[in-house]
Protein backbone atom coordinates (compact mmCIF):
# COMPACT_ATOMS: atom_id res chain seq x y z
CA UNK A 1 0.00 0.00 0.00
CA UNK A 2 1.27 3.49 -0.83
CA UNK A 3 0.25 4.89 2.54
CA UNK A 4 -1.64 8.11 3.13
CA UNK A 5 -1.08 10.43 0.18
CA UNK A 6 -1.33 14.18 0.49
CA UNK A 7 -1.09 16.84 -2.18
CA UNK A 8 0.40 19.25 -2.77
CA UNK A 9 3.57 18.86 -0.71
CA UNK A 10 4.08 22.59 -0.70
CA UNK A 11 1.64 25.43 -1.31
CA UNK A 12 2.49 29.10 -1.42
CA UNK A 13 -0.37 31.53 -1.83
CA UNK A 14 -1.32 35.10 -1.16
CA UNK A 15 -3.59 36.28 1.58
CA UNK A 16 -7.23 36.14 0.54
CA UNK A 17 -6.82 33.29 -1.89
CA UNK A 18 -8.62 29.96 -1.59
CA UNK A 19 -6.47 26.97 -0.70
CA UNK A 20 -7.45 23.33 -1.12
CA UNK A 21 -5.46 20.52 0.45
CA UNK A 22 -6.08 16.94 -0.62
CA UNK A 23 -5.76 13.57 1.03
CA UNK A 24 -6.11 9.97 -0.06
CA UNK A 25 -6.31 7.62 2.94
CA UNK A 26 -5.11 4.05 3.04
CA UNK A 27 -7.62 1.78 1.33
CA UNK A 28 -9.95 0.12 3.80
CA UNK A 29 -9.40 2.64 6.57
CA UNK A 30 -12.63 3.86 8.14
CA UNK A 31 -11.26 6.94 9.89
CA UNK A 32 -9.64 10.03 8.42
CA UNK A 33 -8.13 12.86 10.43
CA UNK A 34 -6.83 16.33 9.60
CA UNK A 35 -4.13 17.81 11.84
CA UNK A 36 -2.34 21.15 11.79
CA UNK A 37 1.22 21.58 13.05
CA UNK A 38 2.68 24.95 14.05
CA UNK A 39 5.64 25.95 16.17
CA UNK A 40 3.44 27.78 18.64
CA UNK A 41 0.63 25.29 19.08
CA UNK A 42 2.22 21.99 18.14
CA UNK A 43 0.03 19.34 16.52
CA UNK A 44 -3.72 19.96 16.72
CA UNK A 45 -6.59 17.82 15.55
CA UNK A 46 -8.85 19.85 13.28
CA UNK A 47 -11.53 17.36 12.26
CA UNK A 48 -12.08 13.67 11.77
CA UNK A 49 -14.40 11.51 9.69
CA UNK A 50 -15.78 8.02 10.17
CA UNK A 51 -17.07 6.32 7.03
CA UNK A 52 -17.03 9.66 5.21
CA UNK A 53 -19.15 11.39 7.86
CA UNK A 54 -17.65 14.25 9.91
CA UNK A 55 -17.72 13.23 13.56
CA UNK A 56 -15.93 16.01 15.40
CA UNK A 57 -14.99 19.36 13.88
CA UNK A 58 -14.48 21.18 17.16
CA UNK A 59 -10.84 21.73 16.29
CA UNK A 60 -11.57 23.68 13.12
CA UNK A 61 -10.34 27.18 13.91
CA UNK A 62 -13.10 29.19 12.24
CA UNK A 63 -15.60 29.31 9.42
CA UNK A 64 -12.90 29.95 6.87
CA UNK A 65 -11.96 26.29 7.24
CA UNK A 66 -14.06 23.50 5.78
CA UNK A 67 -13.45 19.81 5.16
CA UNK A 68 -15.24 17.27 3.04
CA UNK A 69 -15.01 13.58 2.36
CA UNK A 70 -17.12 12.81 -0.71
CA UNK A 71 -16.03 9.16 -0.78
CA UNK A 72 -13.90 6.66 1.09
CA UNK A 73 -10.77 7.43 -0.90
CA UNK A 74 -10.64 11.22 -0.92
CA UNK A 75 -10.87 14.18 1.42
CA UNK A 76 -10.25 17.91 1.09
CA UNK A 77 -9.46 20.66 3.54
CA UNK A 78 -10.30 24.10 2.21
CA UNK A 79 -9.37 27.51 3.55
CA UNK A 80 -11.22 30.47 2.11
CA UNK A 81 -10.05 33.18 2.40
CA UNK A 82 -6.56 32.25 3.56
CA UNK A 83 -4.61 34.38 6.04
CA UNK A 84 -0.90 34.48 6.97
CA UNK A 85 -1.66 32.91 10.36
CA UNK A 86 -2.89 29.81 8.52
CA UNK A 87 0.70 29.06 7.53
CA UNK A 88 1.48 25.62 8.94
CA UNK A 89 2.02 22.01 8.01
CA UNK A 90 -1.26 20.19 7.53
CA UNK A 91 -1.28 16.43 8.05
CA UNK A 92 -3.84 13.90 7.06
CA UNK A 93 -3.96 10.54 8.84
CA UNK A 94 -6.12 7.45 8.58
CA UNK A 95 -6.81 4.38 10.67
CA UNK A 96 -8.87 1.23 10.27
CA UNK A 97 -10.70 0.94 13.60
CA UNK A 98 -11.35 2.94 16.69
CA UNK A 99 -9.64 1.67 19.82
CA UNK A 100 -6.45 0.86 17.94
CA UNK A 101 -4.36 4.01 18.26
CA UNK A 102 -1.24 2.26 17.01
CA UNK A 103 -2.85 1.91 13.60
CA UNK A 104 -2.94 5.62 12.91
CA UNK A 105 -0.90 6.36 9.79
CA UNK A 106 0.15 9.86 8.77
CA UNK A 107 0.77 11.35 5.36
CA UNK A 108 3.87 13.43 4.67
CA UNK A 109 1.99 16.68 5.11
CA UNK A 110 1.34 19.83 3.11
CA UNK A 111 3.52 22.82 3.94
CA UNK A 112 1.28 25.87 3.51
CA UNK A 113 2.70 29.37 3.33
CA UNK A 114 0.28 32.28 3.10
CA UNK A 115 2.03 35.53 2.19
CA UNK B 1 -9.04 16.65 30.22
CA UNK B 2 -5.99 14.85 28.99
CA UNK B 3 -2.77 16.68 28.26
CA UNK B 4 0.93 16.01 27.84
CA UNK B 5 3.94 18.15 28.60
CA UNK B 6 7.29 17.54 27.02
CA UNK B 7 10.15 19.10 28.94
CA UNK B 8 12.72 20.64 26.63
CA UNK B 9 11.98 21.62 23.07
CA UNK B 10 15.56 20.78 22.08
CA UNK B 11 17.85 18.05 23.35
CA UNK B 12 21.38 17.54 22.09
CA UNK B 13 23.45 14.43 22.79
CA UNK B 14 26.68 12.97 21.49
CA UNK B 15 26.67 9.85 19.40
CA UNK B 16 26.76 6.84 21.72
CA UNK B 17 25.36 8.76 24.69
CA UNK B 18 22.12 8.07 26.52
CA UNK B 19 18.99 9.65 25.08
CA UNK B 20 16.34 10.79 27.57
CA UNK B 21 13.26 12.65 26.36
CA UNK B 22 10.79 13.62 29.03
CA UNK B 23 7.01 13.43 28.92
CA UNK B 24 4.50 14.00 31.70
CA UNK B 25 0.83 13.46 31.24
CA UNK B 26 -2.39 14.49 32.84
CA UNK B 27 -5.39 12.23 32.57
CA UNK B 28 -8.55 11.62 34.54
CA UNK B 29 -8.78 8.06 33.24
CA UNK B 30 -6.17 5.35 32.68
CA UNK B 31 -4.34 6.69 29.68
CA UNK B 32 -3.02 5.23 26.52
CA UNK B 33 0.35 6.84 25.83
CA UNK B 34 2.43 7.01 22.69
CA UNK B 35 5.70 8.24 21.33
CA UNK B 36 5.90 9.27 17.71
CA UNK B 37 8.96 10.26 15.67
CA UNK B 38 9.00 12.74 12.82
CA UNK B 39 11.91 12.84 10.41
CA UNK B 40 12.40 15.97 8.31
CA UNK B 41 9.74 16.46 5.66
CA UNK B 42 7.86 13.35 6.74
CA UNK B 43 4.74 12.51 8.69
CA UNK B 44 4.72 11.06 12.17
CA UNK B 45 5.55 7.41 12.73
CA UNK B 46 4.64 5.40 15.78
CA UNK B 47 7.67 4.57 17.91
CA UNK B 48 5.97 2.76 20.77
CA UNK B 49 2.79 2.66 22.80
CA UNK B 50 1.59 1.95 26.33
CA UNK B 51 -1.89 0.50 26.66
CA UNK B 52 -2.01 -0.67 30.29
CA UNK B 53 -0.05 -3.89 29.85
CA UNK B 54 3.64 -3.94 30.77
CA UNK B 55 4.91 -0.67 32.20
CA UNK B 56 8.20 -0.92 30.32
CA UNK B 57 7.48 -0.67 26.65
CA UNK B 58 9.96 -1.44 23.92
CA UNK B 59 9.67 0.19 20.55
CA UNK B 60 11.47 0.34 17.27
CA UNK B 61 15.08 1.43 16.73
CA UNK B 62 16.13 0.52 20.28
CA UNK B 63 13.88 3.00 22.05
CA UNK B 64 11.90 2.20 25.15
CA UNK B 65 9.69 4.05 27.59
CA UNK B 66 8.53 3.38 31.11
CA UNK B 67 5.08 4.23 32.38
CA UNK B 68 5.26 5.54 35.95
CA UNK B 69 1.84 6.24 37.35
CA UNK B 70 3.17 7.72 40.58
CA UNK B 71 5.12 10.29 38.61
CA UNK B 72 2.59 10.62 35.75
CA UNK B 73 5.52 10.20 33.40
CA UNK B 74 6.30 8.31 30.23
CA UNK B 75 9.90 9.20 29.43
CA UNK B 76 11.55 7.92 26.27
CA UNK B 77 15.06 6.49 26.46
CA UNK B 78 17.69 4.88 24.30
CA UNK B 79 20.99 3.65 25.76
CA UNK B 80 23.18 4.75 22.86
CA UNK B 81 22.29 7.50 20.40
CA UNK B 82 22.92 7.10 16.71
CA UNK B 83 23.17 9.85 14.14
CA UNK B 84 20.04 8.52 12.47
CA UNK B 85 18.04 9.22 15.64
CA UNK B 86 18.13 12.95 14.93
CA UNK B 87 14.46 13.85 14.53
CA UNK B 88 11.56 15.39 16.40
CA UNK B 89 9.79 13.26 18.97
CA UNK B 90 6.22 13.68 20.13
CA UNK B 91 4.54 12.25 23.19
CA UNK B 92 0.77 11.76 22.92
CA UNK B 93 -2.15 10.62 25.06
CA UNK B 94 -5.56 9.51 23.98
CA UNK B 95 -8.10 12.24 24.33
CA UNK B 96 -11.03 9.89 24.89
CA UNK B 97 -14.31 10.32 23.09
CA UNK B 98 -14.16 6.93 21.41
CA UNK B 99 -11.64 7.75 18.73
CA UNK B 100 -7.98 7.02 18.85
CA UNK B 101 -7.38 9.80 16.39
CA UNK B 102 -8.27 12.26 19.08
CA UNK B 103 -4.71 12.05 20.30
CA UNK B 104 -3.44 14.95 22.36
CA UNK B 105 0.15 15.65 21.34
CA UNK B 106 2.91 17.38 23.19
CA UNK B 107 4.74 20.19 21.45
CA UNK B 108 7.61 17.96 20.53
CA UNK B 109 11.29 17.64 21.38
CA UNK B 110 13.85 18.02 18.66
CA UNK B 111 16.76 15.64 19.18
CA UNK B 112 20.17 16.52 17.76
CA UNK B 113 22.98 13.98 17.74
CA UNK B 114 26.55 15.26 17.58
CA UNK B 115 29.31 13.13 16.07
Amino acid sequence: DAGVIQSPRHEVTEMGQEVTLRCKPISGHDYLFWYRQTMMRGLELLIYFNNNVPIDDSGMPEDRFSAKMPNASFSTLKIQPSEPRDSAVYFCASSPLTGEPEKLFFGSGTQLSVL
Amino acid sequence: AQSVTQLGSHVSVSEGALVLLRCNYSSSVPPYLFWYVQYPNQGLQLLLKYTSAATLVKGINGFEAEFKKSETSFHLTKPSAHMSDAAEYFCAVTGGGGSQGNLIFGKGTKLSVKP
Side-chain angles (χ1 to χ4, degrees):
Chain A
D1 197 313
V4 177
I5 300 173
Q6 291 187 245
S7 64
R9 289 297 307 273
H10 302 275
E11 176 80 37
V12 181
T13 190
E14 293 186 346
M15 183 174 63
Q17 296 298 306
E18 177 180 295
V19 174
T20 300
L21 312 181
R22 297 173 176 78
C23 175
K24 176 178 167 54
I26 293 173
S27 178
H29 280 195
D30 300 322
Y31 284 83
L32 183 139
F33 307 86
W34 282 100
Y35 286 88
R36 177 173 68 176
Q37 185 179 37
T38 61
M39 291 285 289
M40 290 297 295
R41 301 172 68 90
L43 202 63
E44 306 169 277
L45 177 66
L46 299 177
I47 185 172
Y48 75 92
F49 296 82
N50 179 21
N51 292 324
N52 314 336
V53 177
I55 303 300
D56 184 355
D57 65 353
S58 59
M60 296 284 263
E62 47 197 276
D63 292 345
R64 297 184 297 106
F65 285 70
S66 63
K68 293 182 180 179
M69 193 165 185
N71 57 63
S73 59
F74 183 65
S75 176
T76 59
L77 178 68
K78 187 175 291 186
I79 308 172
Q80 166 64 20
S82 58
E83 297 182 3
R85 60 194 169 114
D86 302 330
S87 299
V89 181
Y90 291 81
F91 287 102
C92 177
S94 70
S95 68
L97 288 169
T98 189
E100 295 181 282
E102 61 268 30
K103 294 187 179 177
L104 185 65
F105 292 89
F106 283 80
S108 297
T110 295
Q111 173 86 56
L112 174 64
S113 299
V114 183
L115 307 177
Chain B
Q2 284 86 349
S3 67
V4 289
T5 302
Q6 290 183 242
L7 299 176
S9 58
H10 276 89
V11 170
S12 181
V13 301
S14 298
E15 193 172 18
L18 170 72
V19 175
L20 171 61
L21 305 181
R22 299 178 187 274
C23 172
N24 288 90
Y25 70 91
S26 171
S27 178
S28 56
V29 297
Y32 283 12
L33 291 157
F34 308 84
W35 276 100
Y36 283 82
V37 60
Q38 184 180 27
Y39 298 104
N41 301 313
Q42 294 186 28
L44 279 69
Q45 302 171 37
L46 182 67
L47 205 54
L48 52 79
K49 67 182 188 293
Y50 166 77
T51 56
S52 75
T55 56
L56 182 62
V57 180
K58 294 188 184 298
I60 61 173
N61 301 338
F63 283 93
E64 62 182 37
E66 186 172 8
F67 173 72
K68 290 188 177 180
K69 184 177 179 181
S70 61
E71 299 177 8
T72 61
S73 69
F74 190 58
H75 302 331
L76 182 70
T77 61
K78 181 173 180 177
S80 177
H82 191 272
M83 297 295 290
S84 61
D85 295 327
E88 190 156 17
Y89 293 81
F90 293 88
C91 183
V93 64
T94 46
S99 167
Q100 80 281 23
N102 193 14
L103 289 170
I104 309 298
F105 286 89
K107 291 198 173 179
T109 298
K110 188 165 287 187
L111 176 66
S112 301
V113 182
K114 299 174 291 186

